[in-house]
Amino acid sequence: ETIHIRVENSSYAAKTEIYLYKSSHLLYGLHSYNKSGGLLESYTYRNIKVDVRLTDYDFDPKNKEYDF
């Protein structure tokens, strides 16, 4: 089951739709539209893993596997 939130007339978009999983409240989708209904951005997240046990080293620029 999901939660659907609709935001109208923000400073960025005329309409934004946000989709959350009801059980965890994790975001899995977001769609923003301009005033004429054109799509500004769209994100959909699948296969979300929440228990990946990251450490500070995972985000350390000295880590050769860190590629952000």
Side-chain angles (χ1 to χ4, degrees):
E1 215 174 320
T2 64
I3 298 170
H4 175 227
I5 301 167
R6 183 183 226 168
V7 179
E8 305 264 351
N9 298 316
S10 72
S11 60
Y12 174 69
K15 179 176 77 170
T16 299
E17 295 178 335
I18 302 166
Y19 299 89
L20 307 167
Y21 290 112
K22 193 170 189 175
S23 60
S24 64
H25 292 110
L26 284 173
L27 173 77
Y28 73 88
L30 180 139
H31 312 290
S32 294
Y33 303 90
N34 62 21
K35 289 182 182 181
S36 44
L39 185 64
L40 294 171
E41 62 185 353
S42 178
Y43 300 95
T44 302
Y45 303 97
R46 295 187 177 125
N47 301 321
I48 299 170
K49 297 176 183 176
V50 295
D51 190 19
V52 294
R53 300 182 186 194
L54 298 172
T55 67
D56 288 341
Y57 185 68
D58 292 304
F59 301 97
D60 190 335
K62 295 174 188 170
N63 178 354
K64 291 180 182 178
E65 293 181 21
Y66 179 71
D67 191 26
F68 183 70

